Amino acid sequence: MANKAIKYRVYPTTEQSIMFAKTFGCCRKVYNLMLSDKIEGYKATGKFPTVTPAKYKDKYPYLREVDSLALANKQIDLQEAFRNTLSKSRKKNNGFPKYKSAKHSRKSYTTNNQKGTVAIIDNKYIKLPKIGNVKAVIHRIPDSDWIIKSATVSQESDGKYYISVLFEFDTVTSHYIADKTNAIGLDYASDGLYVDNNGNIGTNHKYYRESHNKLAKEQRKLSRMQDSKKGEEKSNNYIKQLLKVNKIHRHIANQRLDNLHKISTEIANQYDVVCVESLNMRAMSNRGFGNGKTTLDNGYGMFLSMLEYKLSDRNKYLVKVDKWFPSSQICHCCGTLHPEMKDLAIRTMKCNCGLTISRDQNAAINILNEGLRLLTEVA
Ligand SMILES: [Zn+2]
């Protein structure tokens, strides 16, 4: 068995963030009470007594309002701190356990999964005991056979919330030996997502065109409201419209993310080697790159990083071909260089060898061949 923690950004409701704050506070309170009782016990008997959070629940009934496993984990933390005090390793030994101050201690707590009390719901929420479903950006979907062990909620100093989910999984699956002939090449397409070496088009457009139209409509409405409200205080209607527009934005982002996950999972399941162009996304977005690949809007960078970890999880390969490799200028059949293909308006390559092929498919074939060459070079 192996473990892996994935940290997700979460967006709790006001009510949920109040519960988080309460739980952080109760954890700190219980930790300090237990530490104090241990010290007092030692003074009285010469031994550190065993202390449990349950002991304090009558005196501080509000402790019952929060996740009891979060408090139980504080007991384990304290035991660990005591054990480390005795440890000879300098790295572990931070000296005698200290009280946690409200100001300086880390705002976090850990809870355990007990038969589904912690779960990822619809790839949109993380379910927690006493909290319910917390809205989350599931940038990374665990494999179906991964089991959730625990979740650590934290609030960083900038106020952002995260949940780090600890998974357990069988390592047997990672002994898979990739078949290097089961390969695909992908050419980036700014107007879709990619074109593969078989000429298939991967796209994420169709899924949210409707939402885009809706967004455009609501945005026009918003800007009309803005124009008519020059200098004036923003009306309730304006705020309402702004929230509406933001909601559509979020919906589109989620749709796109879902679709990128779907496509990248399909590819990672089907192929053992995926060859792509390494694109310098920042240079493209800042300076236009001069090759028409100026749009980042279709999430290609995110798509590549999903492919990268999904393939690596399966013991498969993502091979990045240098971005200067002239994939769209070489005839994949005879190797002739066609500098005229630098002109993006030319969508079809016609070569003297008799080949006529779409520019994107030809590029994808070249990326595939170059990727496989690189792969055997390394191996
Ligand atoms: Zn040719």
Side-chain angles (χ1 to χ4, degrees):
M1 285 300 207
N3 289 313
K4 189 181 186 83
I6 302 176
K7 194 172 178 180
Y8 297 105
R9 175 86 189 272
V10 295
Y11 298 87
T13 61
T14 310
E15 213 175 306
Q16 287 170 334
S17 55
I18 290 169
M19 258 321 260
F20 282 161
K22 253 189 194 174
T23 315
F24 299 151
C26 286
C27 283
R28 197 179 59 241
K29 176 83 182 170
V30 154
Y31 187 93
N32 289 342
L33 285 170
M34 289 188 295
L35 177 57
S36 156
D37 277 357
K38 270 191 181 282
I39 294 169
E40 292 309 314
Y42 187 82
K43 281 182 190 163
T45 66
K47 270 191 215 156
F48 288 113
T50 306
V51 287
T52 65
K55 192 181 156 190
Y56 310 106
K57 287 187 180 173
D58 285 333
K59 194 173 174 194
Y60 305 98
Y62 59 84
L63 293 176
R64 291 185 208 278
E65 290 171 31
V66 304
D67 188 343
S68 60
L69 285 170
L71 303 181
N73 281 317
K74 283 294 142 187
Q75 186 189 347
I76 294 168
D77 285 355
L78 185 63
Q79 273 163 1
E80 183 84 350
F82 268 94
R83 231 191 330 270
N84 289 344
T85 303
L86 304 171
S87 163
K88 288 199 172 69
S89 145
R90 277 239 189 111
K91 215 170 153 189
K92 275 189 172 177
N93 194 340
N94 292 319
F96 195 79
K98 295 169 194 71
Y99 288 105
K100 299 211 180 285
S101 82
K103 215 172 177 181
H104 299 295
S105 70
R106 199 172 134 69
K107 289 177 183 158
S108 86
Y109 76 89
T110 299
T111 187
N112 307 77
N113 179 25
Q114 291 183 318
K115 293 180 182 165
T117 52
V118 179
I120 292 177
I121 310 285
D122 298 336
N123 294 327
K124 281 185 184 118
Y125 302 96
I126 297 173
K127 181 178 143 193
L128 293 175
K130 296 260 182 184
I131 303 286
N133 293 350
V134 187
K135 203 158 189 201
V137 179
I138 307 298
H139 64 281
R140 162 135 207 212
I141 298 174
D143 287 359
S144 53
D145 60 339
W146 290 17
I147 296 159
I148 296 178
K149 301 302 289 177
S150 63
T152 300
V153 180
S154 64
Q155 187 185 17
E156 303 297 327
S157 50
D158 58 6
K160 290 174 184 162
Y161 292 91
Y162 296 88
I163 298 178
S164 178
V165 181
L166 185 68
F167 298 93
E168 190 179 70
F169 52 93
D170 221 324
T171 43
V172 177
T173 48
S174 67
H175 291 309
Y176 181 78
I177 294 165
D179 169 8
K180 289 179 186 171
T181 60
N182 180 24
I184 190 174
L186 309 178
D187 181 44
Y188 171 82
S190 61
D191 55 348
L193 190 62
Y194 66 79
V195 174
D196 74 17
N197 54 290
N198 299 310
N200 298 318
I201 298 164
T203 177
N204 56 359
H205 270 184
K206 57 186 174 190
Y207 292 93
Y208 61 98
R209 177 151 296 156
E210 214 172 280
S211 312
H212 265 295
N213 293 341
K214 199 170 155 195
L215 178 65
K217 192 181 130 201
E218 299 301 338
Q219 238 158 3
R220 277 196 301 275
K221 225 189 235 178
L222 184 72
S223 62
R224 273 201 304 275
M225 289 169 121
Q226 205 164 21
D227 292 343
S228 63
K229 281 273 164 207
K230 267 180 202 130
E232 270 179 61
E233 218 179 292
K234 278 174 186 161
S235 70
N236 279 341
N237 283 341
Y238 176 84
I239 303 286
K240 256 188 216 163
Q241 185 63 22
L242 185 66
L243 292 176
K244 201 170 180 182
V245 167
N246 287 344
K247 198 177 165 191
I248 301 171
H249 269 298
R250 279 201 303 277
H251 180 68
I252 290 175
N254 283 334
Q255 269 186 312
R256 173 162 55 202
L257 200 64
D258 283 354
N259 186 53
L260 290 177
H261 270 303
K262 200 172 142 259
I263 300 179
S264 55
T265 300
E266 272 169 16
I267 292 175
N269 284 340
Q270 198 178 343
Y271 296 96
D272 288 15
V273 178
V274 180
C275 306
V276 298
E277 263 178 302
S278 75
L279 296 172
N280 185 343
M281 303 308 277
R282 187 156 299 157
M284 279 164 49
S285 65
N286 289 347
R287 273 171 275 136
F289 215 56
N291 63 357
K293 296 176 176 179
T294 49
T295 168
L296 281 179
D297 184 53
N298 67 1
Y300 194 70
M302 203 185 280
F303 173 67
L304 289 191
S305 68
M306 286 175 181
L307 271 180
E308 192 155 30
Y309 74 68
K310 287 177 187 182
L311 288 163
S312 136
D313 279 352
R314 291 162 175 78
N315 241 15
K316 295 175 168 186
Y317 298 94
L318 180 76
V319 187
K320 289 180 181 170
V321 170
D322 193 278
K323 62 177 178 288
W324 303 115
F325 175 71
S327 57
S328 44
Q329 294 173 48
I330 302 168
C331 166
H332 82 268
C333 246
C334 67
T336 305
L337 197 67
H338 293 259
E340 76 274 10
M341 294 306 290
K342 281 182 188 167
D343 180 355
L344 281 166
I346 306 175
R347 302 309 302 168
T348 306
M349 173 183 273
K350 285 195 182 98
C351 186
N352 289 335
C353 72
L355 180 75
T356 301
I357 189 171
S358 96
R359 102 179 257 122
D360 295 334
Q361 187 182 358
N362 181 63
I365 294 171
N366 283 324
I367 289 167
L368 172 64
N369 292 338
E370 175 66 5
L372 289 176
R373 189 186 70 77
L374 290 170
L375 191 65
T376 42
E377 214 169 62
V378 184

